[in-house]
Amino acid sequence: MRRIRYQDPYNSHKVWEVSHLKGGFYLKQYISGRQWSRGRRVTKRFLEMIGVLSMPIVSINEH
């Protein structure tokens, strides 16, 4: 599984984590290093619509 973390340009305390799953993506939100919600299964189109994929990349983890 590949996880990419994106830094939110509007809030320096917020990081979005996108995990690549078979057939889709899983989106998690971290605020001040703590996971904010359970996470959500999303499509690439949704990620592009909310602008996550255009944010600067913080880290990439491959498992």
Side-chain angles (χ1 to χ4, degrees):
M1 181 181 341
R2 184 175 173 186
R3 296 179 181 170
I4 302 175
R5 290 187 174 210
Y6 296 92
Q7 179 66 50
D8 193 316
Y10 305 106
N11 185 350
S12 62
H13 300 288
K14 188 184 294 184
V15 174
W16 297 89
E17 181 182 89
V18 177
S19 302
H20 294 261
L21 301 173
K22 185 176 181 180
F25 298 90
Y26 199 72
L27 180 65
K28 293 181 184 176
Q29 183 182 57
Y30 292 88
I31 299 175
S32 298
R34 297 183 67 193
Q35 187 173 342
W36 182 252
S37 65
R38 206 177 73 157
R40 179 178 179 178
R41 187 179 174 107
V42 296
T43 62
K44 186 173 183 178
R45 182 177 177 187
F46 180 78
L47 291 173
E48 291 171 348
M49 185 180 69
I50 63 173
V52 171
L53 298 179
S54 62
M55 294 179 186
I57 296 175
V58 176
S59 67
I60 300 175
N61 294 333
E62 303 249 356
H63 293 282

Short mmCIF file of all heavy atoms in Angstrom, two decimals:
data_model
loop_
_atom_site.label_atom_id
_atom_site.label_comp_id
_atom_site.label_asym_id
_atom_site.label_seq_id
_atom_site.Cartn_x
_atom_site.Cartn_y
_atom_site.Cartn_z
N MET A 1 0.86 -1.17 0.00
CA MET A 1 0.00 0.00 0.00
C MET A 1 0.90 1.23 0.00
O MET A 1 1.90 1.29 0.69
CB MET A 1 -0.90 0.00 1.23
CG MET A 1 -1.82 1.17 1.26
SD MET A 1 -2.94 1.35 2.67
CE MET A 1 -3.04 -0.21 3.41
N ARG A 2 0.52 2.20 -0.77
CA ARG A 2 1.28 3.44 -0.89
C ARG A 2 0.51 4.57 -0.22
O ARG A 2 -0.67 4.77 -0.50
CB ARG A 2 1.50 3.74 -2.36
CG ARG A 2 2.34 4.93 -2.62
CD ARG A 2 2.58 5.05 -4.11
NE ARG A 2 3.26 6.29 -4.38
CZ ARG A 2 3.52 6.75 -5.57
NH1 ARG A 2 3.15 6.05 -6.62
NH2 ARG A 2 4.13 7.88 -5.73
N ARG A 3 1.18 5.30 0.67
CA ARG A 3 0.54 6.42 1.37
C ARG A 3 1.30 7.71 1.07
O ARG A 3 2.52 7.76 1.22
CB ARG A 3 0.55 6.19 2.88
CG ARG A 3 -0.27 5.01 3.29
CD ARG A 3 -0.20 4.82 4.77
NE ARG A 3 -1.00 3.65 5.13
CZ ARG A 3 -0.99 3.12 6.32
NH1 ARG A 3 -0.25 3.63 7.27
NH2 ARG A 3 -1.74 2.07 6.56
N ILE A 4 0.57 8.71 0.65
CA ILE A 4 1.16 10.01 0.35
C ILE A 4 0.51 11.04 1.26
O ILE A 4 -0.71 11.10 1.36
CB ILE A 4 0.96 10.40 -1.12
CG1 ILE A 4 1.56 9.34 -2.04
CG2 ILE A 4 1.57 11.76 -1.40
CD1 ILE A 4 1.31 9.57 -3.50
N ARG A 5 1.34 11.85 1.91
CA ARG A 5 0.82 12.92 2.78
C ARG A 5 1.01 14.26 2.09
O ARG A 5 2.09 14.56 1.57
CB ARG A 5 1.54 12.92 4.12
CG ARG A 5 1.16 11.73 4.94
CD ARG A 5 1.73 11.82 6.32
NE ARG A 5 1.20 10.72 7.11
CZ ARG A 5 1.02 10.79 8.40
NH1 ARG A 5 1.32 11.87 9.06
NH2 ARG A 5 0.53 9.75 9.05
N TYR A 6 -0.06 15.05 2.10
CA TYR A 6 -0.08 16.37 1.47
C TYR A 6 -0.28 17.44 2.54
O TYR A 6 -1.12 17.30 3.42
CB TYR A 6 -1.23 16.47 0.46
CG TYR A 6 -1.11 15.53 -0.70
CD1 TYR A 6 -1.69 14.26 -0.68
CD2 TYR A 6 -0.43 15.90 -1.85
CE1 TYR A 6 -1.60 13.40 -1.75
CE2 TYR A 6 -0.32 15.04 -2.93
CZ TYR A 6 -0.90 13.80 -2.87
OH TYR A 6 -0.80 12.94 -3.93
N GLN A 7 0.49 18.52 2.46
CA GLN A 7 0.36 19.64 3.39
C GLN A 7 -0.71 20.60 2.89
O GLN A 7 -0.67 21.03 1.75
CB GLN A 7 1.70 20.39 3.51
CG GLN A 7 1.67 21.58 4.42
CD GLN A 7 1.43 21.18 5.87
OE1 GLN A 7 2.10 20.31 6.39
NE2 GLN A 7 0.49 21.83 6.51
N ASP A 8 -1.66 20.93 3.75
CA ASP A 8 -2.71 21.88 3.39
C ASP A 8 -2.11 23.28 3.33
O ASP A 8 -1.52 23.75 4.29
CB ASP A 8 -3.82 21.83 4.45
CG ASP A 8 -5.08 22.54 4.00
OD1 ASP A 8 -4.97 23.65 3.45
OD2 ASP A 8 -6.17 21.99 4.21
N PRO A 9 -2.23 23.98 2.20
CA PRO A 9 -1.63 25.31 2.08
C PRO A 9 -2.35 26.39 2.88
O PRO A 9 -1.79 27.45 3.14
CB PRO A 9 -1.70 25.60 0.58
CG PRO A 9 -2.81 24.77 0.08
CD PRO A 9 -2.86 23.55 0.95
N TYR A 10 -3.57 26.13 3.29
CA TYR A 10 -4.36 27.13 4.02
C TYR A 10 -4.27 26.96 5.53
O TYR A 10 -4.61 27.88 6.27
CB TYR A 10 -5.83 27.07 3.59
CG TYR A 10 -5.99 27.21 2.10
CD1 TYR A 10 -6.31 26.12 1.30
CD2 TYR A 10 -5.76 28.43 1.47
CE1 TYR A 10 -6.44 26.25 -0.07
CE2 TYR A 10 -5.87 28.56 0.11
CZ TYR A 10 -6.22 27.48 -0.65
OH TYR A 10 -6.33 27.60 -2.02
N ASN A 11 -3.85 25.78 6.01
CA ASN A 11 -3.74 25.51 7.43
C ASN A 11 -2.47 24.70 7.65
O ASN A 11 -2.39 23.53 7.28
CB ASN A 11 -4.97 24.74 7.93
CG ASN A 11 -4.97 24.54 9.41
OD1 ASN A 11 -4.00 24.80 10.09
ND2 ASN A 11 -6.10 24.06 9.92
N SER A 12 -1.47 25.31 8.27
CA SER A 12 -0.17 24.63 8.44
C SER A 12 -0.23 23.46 9.41
O SER A 12 0.70 22.65 9.46
CB SER A 12 0.88 25.64 8.90
OG SER A 12 0.52 26.19 10.16
N HIS A 13 -1.28 23.33 10.20
CA HIS A 13 -1.42 22.23 11.14
C HIS A 13 -2.11 21.02 10.53
O HIS A 13 -2.16 19.96 11.16
CB HIS A 13 -2.23 22.68 12.37
CG HIS A 13 -1.61 23.81 13.10
ND1 HIS A 13 -0.47 23.69 13.86
CD2 HIS A 13 -1.94 25.12 13.17
CE1 HIS A 13 -0.14 24.84 14.38
NE2 HIS A 13 -1.03 25.75 13.97
N LYS A 14 -2.64 21.15 9.32
CA LYS A 14 -3.44 20.08 8.72
C LYS A 14 -2.65 19.36 7.62
O LYS A 14 -2.02 19.97 6.78
CB LYS A 14 -4.70 20.67 8.10
CG LYS A 14 -5.69 19.63 7.61
CD LYS A 14 -6.88 20.24 6.91
CE LYS A 14 -7.73 21.05 7.85
NZ LYS A 14 -8.95 21.57 7.20
N VAL A 15 -2.72 18.03 7.68
CA VAL A 15 -2.08 17.16 6.68
C VAL A 15 -3.13 16.17 6.19
O VAL A 15 -3.88 15.61 6.98
CB VAL A 15 -0.87 16.41 7.28
CG1 VAL A 15 -0.31 15.42 6.28
CG2 VAL A 15 0.19 17.38 7.72
N TRP A 16 -3.19 15.97 4.88
CA TRP A 16 -4.10 14.99 4.28
C TRP A 16 -3.28 13.78 3.88
O TRP A 16 -2.24 13.90 3.25
CB TRP A 16 -4.76 15.58 3.03
CG TRP A 16 -5.61 16.78 3.29
CD1 TRP A 16 -5.20 18.08 3.30
CD2 TRP A 16 -7.00 16.80 3.58
NE1 TRP A 16 -6.26 18.90 3.57
CE2 TRP A 16 -7.38 18.13 3.75
CE3 TRP A 16 -7.96 15.80 3.71
CZ2 TRP A 16 -8.68 18.51 4.03
CZ3 TRP A 16 -9.26 16.18 4.00
CH2 TRP A 16 -9.61 17.52 4.16
N GLU A 17 -3.77 12.57 4.21
CA GLU A 17 -3.10 11.34 3.83
C GLU A 17 -3.97 10.57 2.85
O GLU A 17 -5.14 10.31 3.12
CB GLU A 17 -2.84 10.46 5.05
CG GLU A 17 -2.11 9.18 4.70
CD GLU A 17 -1.89 8.29 5.90
OE1 GLU A 17 -2.78 7.47 6.19
OE2 GLU A 17 -0.84 8.44 6.54
N VAL A 18 -3.39 10.24 1.70
CA VAL A 18 -4.10 9.50 0.66
C VAL A 18 -3.43 8.13 0.52
O VAL A 18 -2.24 8.05 0.22
CB VAL A 18 -4.05 10.26 -0.69
CG1 VAL A 18 -4.73 9.44 -1.77
CG2 VAL A 18 -4.69 11.63 -0.55
N SER A 19 -4.18 7.08 0.78
CA SER A 19 -3.70 5.70 0.63
C SER A 19 -4.28 5.14 -0.66
O SER A 19 -5.48 5.25 -0.91
CB SER A 19 -4.15 4.84 1.81
OG SER A 19 -3.69 5.37 3.01
N HIS A 20 -3.42 4.53 -1.46
CA HIS A 20 -3.86 3.93 -2.71
C HIS A 20 -4.35 2.51 -2.44
O HIS A 20 -3.61 1.67 -1.96
CB HIS A 20 -2.71 3.89 -3.72
CG HIS A 20 -2.28 5.24 -4.17
ND1 HIS A 20 -2.69 5.79 -5.36
CD2 HIS A 20 -1.51 6.17 -3.59
CE1 HIS A 20 -2.17 6.99 -5.49
NE2 HIS A 20 -1.44 7.25 -4.41
N LEU A 21 -5.62 2.28 -2.71
CA LEU A 21 -6.22 0.96 -2.56
C LEU A 21 -6.59 0.42 -3.93
O LEU A 21 -6.64 1.16 -4.92
CB LEU A 21 -7.48 1.05 -1.71
CG LEU A 21 -7.32 1.59 -0.30
CD1 LEU A 21 -8.68 1.76 0.33
CD2 LEU A 21 -6.48 0.65 0.52
N LYS A 22 -6.87 -0.85 -4.00
CA LYS A 22 -7.31 -1.45 -5.25
C LYS A 22 -8.68 -0.90 -5.61
O LYS A 22 -9.64 -1.08 -4.86
CB LYS A 22 -7.36 -2.97 -5.11
CG LYS A 22 -7.68 -3.67 -6.39
CD LYS A 22 -7.63 -5.16 -6.20
CE LYS A 22 -7.93 -5.86 -7.50
NZ LYS A 22 -7.90 -7.31 -7.33
N GLY A 23 -8.79 -0.19 -6.70
CA GLY A 23 -10.06 0.34 -7.16
C GLY A 23 -10.43 1.69 -6.58
O GLY A 23 -11.54 2.16 -6.79
N GLY A 24 -9.55 2.34 -5.84
CA GLY A 24 -9.90 3.64 -5.28
C GLY A 24 -8.84 4.17 -4.34
O GLY A 24 -7.70 3.71 -4.34
N PHE A 25 -9.21 5.13 -3.54
CA PHE A 25 -8.30 5.77 -2.60
C PHE A 25 -8.98 5.88 -1.25
O PHE A 25 -10.18 5.82 -1.13
CB PHE A 25 -7.94 7.18 -3.10
CG PHE A 25 -7.24 7.19 -4.41
CD1 PHE A 25 -7.95 7.26 -5.60
CD2 PHE A 25 -5.86 7.13 -4.48
CE1 PHE A 25 -7.31 7.28 -6.82
CE2 PHE A 25 -5.21 7.15 -5.69
CZ PHE A 25 -5.93 7.21 -6.87
N TYR A 26 -8.16 6.06 -0.21
CA TYR A 26 -8.67 6.24 1.15
C TYR A 26 -8.07 7.54 1.67
O TYR A 26 -6.85 7.74 1.65
CB TYR A 26 -8.25 5.06 2.02
CG TYR A 26 -9.07 4.92 3.27
CD1 TYR A 26 -10.39 4.47 3.20
CD2 TYR A 26 -8.55 5.22 4.52
CE1 TYR A 26 -11.15 4.32 4.34
CE2 TYR A 26 -9.31 5.07 5.66
CZ TYR A 26 -10.61 4.63 5.57
OH TYR A 26 -11.37 4.49 6.70
N LEU A 27 -8.92 8.45 2.14
CA LEU A 27 -8.50 9.79 2.55
C LEU A 27 -8.63 9.95 4.06
O LEU A 27 -9.69 9.66 4.63
CB LEU A 27 -9.37 10.84 1.85
CG LEU A 27 -9.08 12.30 2.16
CD1 LEU A 27 -7.70 12.70 1.65
CD2 LEU A 27 -10.15 13.19 1.52
N LYS A 28 -7.54 10.38 4.70
CA LYS A 28 -7.56 10.65 6.14
C LYS A 28 -7.06 12.09 6.35
O LYS A 28 -6.28 12.61 5.57
CB LYS A 28 -6.63 9.71 6.90
CG LYS A 28 -7.08 8.28 6.89
CD LYS A 28 -6.11 7.43 7.68
CE LYS A 28 -6.48 5.97 7.62
NZ LYS A 28 -5.48 5.13 8.31
N GLN A 29 -7.49 12.67 7.45
CA GLN A 29 -7.12 14.05 7.78
C GLN A 29 -6.44 14.06 9.14
O GLN A 29 -6.97 13.50 10.11
CB GLN A 29 -8.38 14.91 7.80
CG GLN A 29 -8.13 16.36 8.05
CD GLN A 29 -9.45 17.12 8.12
OE1 GLN A 29 -10.31 16.79 8.92
NE2 GLN A 29 -9.59 18.10 7.27
N TYR A 30 -5.26 14.69 9.21
CA TYR A 30 -4.53 14.82 10.46
C TYR A 30 -4.41 16.30 10.80
O TYR A 30 -4.02 17.11 9.96
CB TYR A 30 -3.13 14.22 10.34
CG TYR A 30 -3.13 12.71 10.19
CD1 TYR A 30 -3.22 12.11 8.94
CD2 TYR A 30 -3.06 11.89 11.30
CE1 TYR A 30 -3.23 10.74 8.80
CE2 TYR A 30 -3.07 10.51 11.18
CZ TYR A 30 -3.14 9.95 9.93
OH TYR A 30 -3.16 8.58 9.80
N ILE A 31 -4.73 16.64 12.04
CA ILE A 31 -4.59 18.01 12.52
C ILE A 31 -3.67 17.97 13.73
O ILE A 31 -3.97 17.28 14.71
CB ILE A 31 -5.94 18.65 12.86
CG1 ILE A 31 -6.82 18.70 11.60
CG2 ILE A 31 -5.76 20.04 13.44
CD1 ILE A 31 -8.22 19.20 11.82
N SER A 32 -2.57 18.70 13.66
CA SER A 32 -1.56 18.72 14.73
C SER A 32 -1.07 17.32 15.07
O SER A 32 -0.85 16.97 16.23
CB SER A 32 -2.09 19.41 15.98
OG SER A 32 -2.41 20.75 15.70
N GLY A 33 -0.90 16.47 14.04
CA GLY A 33 -0.36 15.14 14.22
C GLY A 33 -1.34 14.08 14.69
O GLY A 33 -0.98 12.92 14.82
N ARG A 34 -2.58 14.45 14.94
CA ARG A 34 -3.59 13.49 15.39
C ARG A 34 -4.64 13.28 14.30
O ARG A 34 -5.08 14.24 13.68
CB ARG A 34 -4.27 13.99 16.65
CG ARG A 34 -3.29 14.12 17.81
CD ARG A 34 -3.96 14.53 19.06
NE ARG A 34 -4.84 13.44 19.50
CZ ARG A 34 -5.75 13.56 20.43
NH1 ARG A 34 -5.93 14.72 21.03
NH2 ARG A 34 -6.51 12.54 20.77
N GLN A 35 -5.03 12.02 14.11
CA GLN A 35 -6.04 11.72 13.10
C GLN A 35 -7.37 12.30 13.54
O GLN A 35 -7.82 12.10 14.65
CB GLN A 35 -6.16 10.21 12.91
CG GLN A 35 -7.06 9.83 11.78
CD GLN A 35 -7.05 8.35 11.50
OE1 GLN A 35 -6.15 7.65 11.93
NE2 GLN A 35 -8.07 7.88 10.80
N TRP A 36 -8.01 13.04 12.64
CA TRP A 36 -9.22 13.77 12.98
C TRP A 36 -10.47 12.90 12.86
O TRP A 36 -11.37 12.98 13.67
CB TRP A 36 -9.34 15.00 12.10
CG TRP A 36 -10.54 15.83 12.41
CD1 TRP A 36 -11.67 15.96 11.67
CD2 TRP A 36 -10.75 16.63 13.57
NE1 TRP A 36 -12.55 16.80 12.28
CE2 TRP A 36 -12.01 17.22 13.46
CE3 TRP A 36 -9.99 16.90 14.70
CZ2 TRP A 36 -12.53 18.07 14.42
CZ3 TRP A 36 -10.50 17.74 15.65
CH2 TRP A 36 -11.77 18.33 15.51
N SER A 37 -10.56 12.10 11.83
CA SER A 37 -11.75 11.26 11.65
C SER A 37 -11.32 9.85 11.26
O SER A 37 -10.14 9.57 11.12
CB SER A 37 -12.67 11.86 10.60
OG SER A 37 -12.04 11.85 9.34
N ARG A 38 -12.30 9.01 11.04
CA ARG A 38 -12.03 7.62 10.71
C ARG A 38 -11.40 7.45 9.33
O ARG A 38 -10.68 6.50 9.08
CB ARG A 38 -13.35 6.85 10.76
CG ARG A 38 -13.21 5.41 11.05
CD ARG A 38 -14.56 4.80 11.13
NE ARG A 38 -15.11 4.70 9.79
CZ ARG A 38 -16.04 3.86 9.43
NH1 ARG A 38 -16.57 3.07 10.31
NH2 ARG A 38 -16.50 3.81 8.21
N GLY A 39 -11.69 8.32 8.43
CA GLY A 39 -11.22 8.20 7.07
C GLY A 39 -12.38 7.94 6.13
O GLY A 39 -13.49 7.62 6.57
N ARG A 40 -12.12 8.06 4.85
CA ARG A 40 -13.20 7.94 3.87
C ARG A 40 -12.67 7.37 2.56
O ARG A 40 -11.61 7.77 2.09
CB ARG A 40 -13.77 9.34 3.63
CG ARG A 40 -14.86 9.41 2.64
CD ARG A 40 -15.38 10.82 2.52
NE ARG A 40 -16.42 10.83 1.52
CZ ARG A 40 -17.12 11.89 1.19
NH1 ARG A 40 -16.88 13.03 1.78
NH2 ARG A 40 -18.04 11.83 0.28
N ARG A 41 -13.40 6.45 1.99
CA ARG A 41 -13.05 5.91 0.68
C ARG A 41 -13.53 6.89 -0.38
O ARG A 41 -14.70 7.30 -0.38
CB ARG A 41 -13.69 4.55 0.48
CG ARG A 41 -13.23 3.87 -0.78
CD ARG A 41 -13.88 2.51 -0.88
NE ARG A 41 -13.55 1.92 -2.16
CZ ARG A 41 -12.70 0.92 -2.32
NH1 ARG A 41 -12.12 0.39 -1.28
NH2 ARG A 41 -12.45 0.44 -3.52
N VAL A 42 -12.63 7.28 -1.29
CA VAL A 42 -12.95 8.29 -2.29
C VAL A 42 -12.39 7.87 -3.65
O VAL A 42 -11.62 6.93 -3.76
CB VAL A 42 -12.36 9.68 -1.90
CG1 VAL A 42 -12.98 10.20 -0.62
CG2 VAL A 42 -10.86 9.63 -1.75
N THR A 43 -12.79 8.63 -4.67
CA THR A 43 -12.27 8.41 -6.02
C THR A 43 -11.24 9.48 -6.35
O THR A 43 -11.12 10.49 -5.67
CB THR A 43 -13.41 8.49 -7.05
OG1 THR A 43 -13.97 9.80 -7.00
CG2 THR A 43 -14.48 7.45 -6.77
N LYS A 44 -10.50 9.24 -7.41
CA LYS A 44 -9.50 10.22 -7.85
C LYS A 44 -10.18 11.51 -8.28
O LYS A 44 -9.66 12.61 -8.03
CB LYS A 44 -8.68 9.65 -9.00
CG LYS A 44 -7.54 10.55 -9.41
CD LYS A 44 -6.65 9.88 -10.43
CE LYS A 44 -5.48 10.79 -10.77
NZ LYS A 44 -4.59 10.15 -11.72
N ARG A 45 -11.34 11.41 -8.86
CA ARG A 45 -12.09 12.60 -9.29
C ARG A 45 -12.44 13.48 -8.09
O ARG A 45 -12.34 14.70 -8.15
CB ARG A 45 -13.35 12.17 -10.03
CG ARG A 45 -14.16 13.30 -10.54
CD ARG A 45 -15.35 12.81 -11.31
NE ARG A 45 -16.15 13.93 -11.75
CZ ARG A 45 -17.31 13.82 -12.33
NH1 ARG A 45 -17.81 12.63 -12.58
NH2 ARG A 45 -17.97 14.88 -12.69
N PHE A 46 -12.85 12.86 -6.96
CA PHE A 46 -13.17 13.62 -5.75
C PHE A 46 -11.92 14.31 -5.21
O PHE A 46 -11.98 15.47 -4.80
CB PHE A 46 -13.77 12.69 -4.70
CG PHE A 46 -14.13 13.39 -3.42
CD1 PHE A 46 -15.28 14.14 -3.33
CD2 PHE A 46 -13.30 13.31 -2.30
CE1 PHE A 46 -15.61 14.79 -2.15
CE2 PHE A 46 -13.62 13.95 -1.13
CZ PHE A 46 -14.78 14.70 -1.06
N LEU A 47 -10.78 13.60 -5.21
CA LEU A 47 -9.53 14.20 -4.72
C LEU A 47 -9.13 15.41 -5.57
O LEU A 47 -8.66 16.42 -5.05
CB LEU A 47 -8.41 13.17 -4.72
CG LEU A 47 -8.55 12.04 -3.70
CD1 LEU A 47 -7.46 11.00 -3.94
CD2 LEU A 47 -8.50 12.57 -2.29
N GLU A 48 -9.32 15.32 -6.87
CA GLU A 48 -9.02 16.44 -7.75
C GLU A 48 -10.00 17.59 -7.52
O GLU A 48 -9.61 18.76 -7.55
CB GLU A 48 -9.07 16.00 -9.21
CG GLU A 48 -7.95 15.07 -9.59
CD GLU A 48 -8.12 14.46 -10.96
OE1 GLU A 48 -9.22 14.57 -11.55
OE2 GLU A 48 -7.15 13.84 -11.44
N MET A 49 -11.26 17.26 -7.26
CA MET A 49 -12.28 18.28 -7.06
C MET A 49 -12.00 19.12 -5.80
O MET A 49 -12.16 20.34 -5.82
CB MET A 49 -13.65 17.62 -6.95
CG MET A 49 -14.80 18.61 -6.86
SD MET A 49 -16.40 17.79 -6.74
CE MET A 49 -16.31 17.08 -5.12
N ILE A 50 -11.58 18.47 -4.71
CA ILE A 50 -11.32 19.23 -3.49
C ILE A 50 -9.90 19.79 -3.44
O ILE A 50 -9.57 20.55 -2.54
CB ILE A 50 -11.62 18.40 -2.22
CG1 ILE A 50 -10.71 17.19 -2.11
CG2 ILE A 50 -13.07 18.00 -2.16
CD1 ILE A 50 -10.85 16.44 -0.80
N GLY A 51 -9.06 19.43 -4.42
CA GLY A 51 -7.73 20.04 -4.55
C GLY A 51 -6.62 19.38 -3.77
O GLY A 51 -5.54 19.96 -3.64
N VAL A 52 -6.82 18.19 -3.26
CA VAL A 52 -5.78 17.53 -2.46
C VAL A 52 -4.57 17.18 -3.32
O VAL A 52 -3.43 17.37 -2.89
CB VAL A 52 -6.34 16.27 -1.76
CG1 VAL A 52 -5.24 15.46 -1.12
CG2 VAL A 52 -7.37 16.65 -0.73
N LEU A 53 -4.78 16.72 -4.53
CA LEU A 53 -3.67 16.27 -5.37
C LEU A 53 -2.77 17.42 -5.84
O LEU A 53 -1.64 17.18 -6.26
CB LEU A 53 -4.20 15.49 -6.57
CG LEU A 53 -4.96 14.21 -6.22
CD1 LEU A 53 -5.45 13.53 -7.48
CD2 LEU A 53 -4.10 13.27 -5.39
N SER A 54 -3.24 18.65 -5.74
CA SER A 54 -2.41 19.79 -6.16
C SER A 54 -1.66 20.41 -4.98
O SER A 54 -0.90 21.36 -5.16
CB SER A 54 -3.29 20.85 -6.83
OG SER A 54 -4.26 21.34 -5.91
N MET A 55 -1.83 19.88 -3.77
CA MET A 55 -1.13 20.38 -2.58
C MET A 55 0.31 19.84 -2.57
O MET A 55 0.59 18.81 -3.16
CB MET A 55 -1.86 19.93 -1.31
CG MET A 55 -3.21 20.53 -1.15
SD MET A 55 -4.00 19.92 0.36
CE MET A 55 -5.62 20.64 0.17
N PRO A 56 1.22 20.54 -1.86
CA PRO A 56 2.60 20.05 -1.78
C PRO A 56 2.70 18.73 -1.00
O PRO A 56 2.03 18.54 0.01
CB PRO A 56 3.34 21.16 -1.04
CG PRO A 56 2.36 22.20 -0.68
CD PRO A 56 1.03 21.82 -1.23
N ILE A 57 3.55 17.83 -1.49
CA ILE A 57 3.75 16.52 -0.86
C ILE A 57 4.71 16.64 0.31
O ILE A 57 5.78 17.25 0.20
CB ILE A 57 4.29 15.50 -1.88
CG1 ILE A 57 3.25 15.27 -2.98
CG2 ILE A 57 4.67 14.20 -1.21
CD1 ILE A 57 3.74 14.37 -4.08
N VAL A 58 4.31 16.06 1.47
CA VAL A 58 5.16 16.06 2.66
C VAL A 58 6.00 14.79 2.70
O VAL A 58 7.21 14.86 2.91
CB VAL A 58 4.29 16.16 3.94
CG1 VAL A 58 5.15 16.06 5.18
CG2 VAL A 58 3.50 17.44 3.95
N SER A 59 5.37 13.63 2.51
CA SER A 59 6.10 12.36 2.56
C SER A 59 5.37 11.30 1.75
O SER A 59 4.17 11.38 1.53
CB SER A 59 6.29 11.88 3.99
OG SER A 59 5.05 11.54 4.56
N ILE A 60 6.15 10.28 1.33
CA ILE A 60 5.61 9.13 0.62
C ILE A 60 6.09 7.88 1.34
O ILE A 60 7.29 7.71 1.56
CB ILE A 60 6.07 9.10 -0.85
CG1 ILE A 60 5.61 10.36 -1.58
CG2 ILE A 60 5.57 7.84 -1.55
CD1 ILE A 60 6.13 10.46 -3.00
N ASN A 61 5.17 7.01 1.73
CA ASN A 61 5.50 5.74 2.39
C ASN A 61 4.99 4.60 1.53
O ASN A 61 3.85 4.59 1.12
CB ASN A 61 4.84 5.65 3.77
CG ASN A 61 5.39 6.67 4.74
OD1 ASN A 61 6.53 7.08 4.61
ND2 ASN A 61 4.58 7.10 5.67
N GLU A 62 5.86 3.62 1.29
CA GLU A 62 5.49 2.43 0.53
C GLU A 62 5.51 1.23 1.45
O GLU A 62 6.47 1.03 2.19
CB GLU A 62 6.46 2.20 -0.63
CG GLU A 62 6.56 3.37 -1.55
CD GLU A 62 5.96 3.10 -2.91
OE1 GLU A 62 5.54 1.96 -3.15
OE2 GLU A 62 5.97 4.02 -3.71
N HIS A 63 4.46 0.45 1.45
CA HIS A 63 4.39 -0.76 2.28
C HIS A 63 4.14 -1.94 1.42
O HIS A 63 3.45 -1.98 0.51
CB HIS A 63 3.27 -0.66 3.33
CG HIS A 63 3.55 0.38 4.36
ND1 HIS A 63 4.42 0.16 5.39
CD2 HIS A 63 3.09 1.63 4.52
CE1 HIS A 63 4.46 1.24 6.15
NE2 HIS A 63 3.66 2.14 5.64
#
